[in-house]
Structures are given as C-alpha cells and as structure tokens.
Amino acid sequence: MTESTKPQTLSADGITAPLRHAAFRQIWLASLLSNLGALIRSVGAAWAMTQMTSAADMVALVQTALMLPVMLISMPAGAIADMYDRRIVALVSLAISLVGATALTTLAWLGLLTPNLLLVLCFVVGSGIALMDPAWQSSVSEQVTPENLPAAVALNGISYNIARSVGPAIGGIVVATAGAVASFALNALLYLPLMLALILWKRVTEPSRLPPENLHRAIISGVRYIVHSPSIRIVLIRSMIMGVIGGAIIALMPLVARDLLHGGAETYGIILSAFGFGAIIGGLNITLVRKRMTGEAAIRACTLSMGGAIAAVALGNVLFLTAAALVLAGAVWMMAWVLFSIGVQLSAPRWVAGRSLAAYQAASSGGIAVGSWGWGHLTDVAGVDTALLVAAVLMLASPLLGLWLPMPPVSARDDEPEMLEDPKVRLALTGRSGPLVVEIEYRVAQKNARIFHSLMQDVELFRQRNGAYGWSIARDIADPELWTERYHCPTWLDYLRQRNRATQSERALDRRATAFHLGPEPVRIRRMLERPFGSVRWKEDAPDRAANEDLPGNCKRPGEQ
C-alpha cells in the first residue's frame, strides 16, 4: 500500500462529486429513507423498552441487540460479499430486516410484545443489516470513480446522520401520537425504496478467471489479510476502543432524556436530533479536516472533544445545554468514524474489501455493543451521570493510544492487481493439488545484505496477507551471496490466487527485491508439490501433460501463452 505522510483531500471536486454518478445517487437517496426508518424504529424500540421495564440494563440492551449481530456475523458477511454478487447479497439482507421489522410491527399491534421478544426481533433486524453492510459499503467503489471514493464514504455517513438529525424527532412525534407500533411499521415500509434502487442498479463486473473460494477459506483469507496488514489492524483496534467508550452516550441517551432531563419521547427525539445534526456538520467538514490534519491529529482532536461533550451531558440538566453538547459530540463522532472507514477502504484491495469492511464493522459495532451492556450495568449501580462521567474521563485519556498505535496515513486506493500469466508446468495438476512449496533464489552482494533482509520483511507481509504461509528467508552459509525465500500455499488454486492478488505497490516491492539480484541469470523460482503421487492425477503414459480440464479459467497447458 502506497502511503503518504501528508493529509489528503477527499477529492478535487468536493464532497458532492459522487452524486453525479446515477447509480450512487439513486442508492444514496434510497438509503437515506431506509436510515430514516431505522432511526424512527430505534426511537420506538428504546422507548417501548422504557415503558415495559425500568431496568437500565434492559434499555441499554436494545442497542446491544441491534449491534451484536454485526460483531458476530460480520466476517462471514464480508466473505459472502467478496464471493458473490454484492447487489444480490444486499437484497437478501434487506429482506431479512424487512421480515424482522414486519414481525415487530405485527406483535406490537396485537399487544403481544414483551421485552425479550423486542430484543430478539431487534437482533433479527440487526442481523439483516450486519449481512448487508459489507456488501453495500464495498460496492460503493463500483458505483463511483476511484478519486470520488473517499467522498462517497463520507456521504454514506452523512446519509445516516441526516436521518439521525430528523428521524428521532419524527420518531418521537410518531411514538407520542400513534405509539411504537407506528414507528415499527414505518421502518418496514422505508426498506422498500432501497430494495427497488438495488434492483434497478445495473451492476457491471469483470468475471473472475478463478472460481470463488468456499466460505471457510474465504473467512480465513480475510483474517490472514487483516492480521498481516498493520494499517488495517491499527484502525480496527482504535475503532473498537472508540466504540466501547463512546457507546455510553449512544446507549444511555434514552435515560438522559428520562432521568437527567425529566422528559418524554419528544425530549428523547430532540436530543437524538441534536446529535444527528452535529454529525451532519462533522461529515460536511471532513474534507477540511483531512486537508489540514493528519489522521492521528484528527482522531486526537475528535476524542478530546467527545470527552468534553460527554462530561457536559453528564453535568447538565437543561435541555438547551445538553442539546448543544450533543451537537459537538455528534460532529466529532461522525468525523472519527469517517476517518476510520476511509482508512480501511483505502487500505484494502478490491478482492478483500468486503471482509476488511466487515472486520471494521465487527470491531466498531462490537465495541459499541459490549460498551452499551457495560454502561447499562454501571448505570444501574451508580446512576446515569456517574456512568457518563467515567466514559468522559476514559475518552479524554484515549488519545494516549496514539503513542502506541498511531493512525496510519493513507492516500489513494491501490487495488488494481497486475495479472500474471500462469506458470508453465509438466505435471497434470488439478485445482486441489498441493500443498505447493515455492522457493525463490536471489544472489545478493554481501554489502547489500542488511538492506535486502529488511526489504524482505515487507515482502513477507504481502506474501502472507495474499495467501502464503510458512514464509522464511534463509542465507547459504557456504555461499553468503545466495538467499532463498520459501513459502507454502495449500493448493495449486490457492497459489494462482496468491499470485494474482498482489497490488501494484506490492509488485513494486517484489521488483525492488529482484533488483538486488546479481549476475546474468534471472532469479530462480522453484514450484514443488509436497505430495506428488497423492495430489495430482498421475498417468504413467502422459507424464508431460500440463494442467488439465479441472483447472479453472485460463490455466494453461505447457506451450500455451
């Protein structure tokens, strides 16, 4: 991944540039309505729980029930998004949420809703959203040009927070006048425009030359990529911690309205709207923030401001002052999450974008879910104001993480692989043949030994995140100029995937390593099967046959180019 230490602007055309793309514009407008319905439903669910029970932990568990599915199924959802048509995946996911919202409406209308049923159905709705999010977010890069991708990410966040700015107020009015059942019904109806927009989207994709991985392998590949990608790993840790601490203000807002401000559903809607209005302000100013500040400086400013705002909410009991503090909290909350999301999307190549975003969603939403549960229990013991003050102190201290895990700088997305010809072989391989051992021999001048070894640590990371395992680099003790890089791939098909996943910047690292090679002969590459008589379709009368018909796509026979 090519990185820059300078702050980057979102795009030359500004934050509205992605709306020029018809597909993105239609889906974005429909998602705005869907988000509006989700916020109205959230108001109804939270308030319905406060009417059924006075236990603070049960109220906080509404937020947990909605967020927990993201933590539990995000990685399978991300793998599915990378393996199959993302438009179809998003439609199926919306159908699951629609079923949950319809059941919630029906039970509430019949008067059969209980606290436990409410949590279960919120979990169902959240499961649909958890399945949809990786497919939806990773498909944004297919709807806009690469230079507009950061702005599109920010606009998706703004869409949610436009809904947040008016949805809670509408939800408060709906709940106050027609009851929670009306809010659930509106939620179900407002899923339909987004489903229609996705049906109308004419998604154009290039078919893969290799068959998709199975779900188990795809999940493992995604996890491997994240583990060996330091920039994504740092963003996931920072976002999870932000979610755990910041989950206090999200989960306890109904109790702020009821216990600190002594209001009802209308008050709850007002303070949620203030938070959402602040988030819109934050989203609209993300271009300016990225232009003037590095990622670490921006996150530091956001967390310090968030800590102060949470403290102001805890200490205040006047609606106007609380709303003003929540405007600030919403602005910096939005900025932080957009910065995290952009960091992941610009660091992950297209083949693993869904899984990387799923991991980000799991980390952030899991943090909020766990935090919400914990803050609810602390509130039962110590009260809303004390819980919020503890959260404020932790948020003010969180910038210290930057000393250990500084936010990685990112620039333009680098996800265009350089497709390579399949290597020529003389064994009758199938896609399942393996394990495969790859050895690459370099001859390096002794004066360059340390520099070469340091470079190979970067090569190790990109080989492993693209599918290699058991990587090593060795130096011949009898011939100090001779170095051997060695790694494994589980099967021949996995090796073909690993070869073609490298991005341009990763290929550049490979070329830099090759440039150290001395002598007229090229770098020597050996590809060997560990089980040659159990992993190929061996025929004594055809030992020179190449990759056979079981191999996918453009896998070549010897002599073919």
Side-chain angles (χ1 to χ4, degrees), residues 66 202 292 430:
L66 290 168
K202 304 301 181 183
R292 296 188 176 182
T430 72

Short mmCIF file of all heavy atoms in Angstrom, two decimals, residues 66 202 292 430:
data_model
loop_
_atom_site.label_atom_id
_atom_site.label_comp_id
_atom_site.label_asym_id
_atom_site.label_seq_id
_atom_site.Cartn_x
_atom_site.Cartn_y
_atom_site.Cartn_z
N LEU A 66 -29.14 -4.64 18.59
CA LEU A 66 -29.00 -4.17 17.21
C LEU A 66 -27.56 -4.26 16.72
O LEU A 66 -27.32 -4.48 15.53
CB LEU A 66 -29.50 -2.72 17.11
CG LEU A 66 -31.01 -2.51 17.27
CD1 LEU A 66 -31.33 -1.04 17.44
CD2 LEU A 66 -31.75 -3.08 16.05
N LYS A 202 -27.76 -1.56 -12.44
CA LYS A 202 -27.17 -2.46 -13.43
C LYS A 202 -25.69 -2.64 -13.09
O LYS A 202 -24.82 -1.93 -13.61
CB LYS A 202 -27.34 -1.91 -14.85
CG LYS A 202 -28.77 -1.61 -15.24
CD LYS A 202 -29.66 -2.85 -15.16
CE LYS A 202 -31.10 -2.53 -15.58
NZ LYS A 202 -31.98 -3.71 -15.45
N ARG A 292 -6.19 19.57 6.48
CA ARG A 292 -5.35 20.33 7.41
C ARG A 292 -4.70 19.49 8.50
O ARG A 292 -3.78 19.97 9.18
CB ARG A 292 -6.20 21.42 8.07
CG ARG A 292 -6.71 22.45 7.08
CD ARG A 292 -7.39 23.61 7.78
NE ARG A 292 -7.80 24.65 6.84
CZ ARG A 292 -8.39 25.79 7.19
NH1 ARG A 292 -8.62 26.04 8.48
NH2 ARG A 292 -8.72 26.67 6.28
N THR A 430 -4.49 -30.55 -10.70
CA THR A 430 -5.87 -30.09 -10.54
C THR A 430 -5.85 -28.90 -9.59
O THR A 430 -4.83 -28.60 -8.96
CB THR A 430 -6.77 -31.20 -9.94
OG1 THR A 430 -6.45 -31.37 -8.56
CG2 THR A 430 -6.61 -32.51 -10.69
#
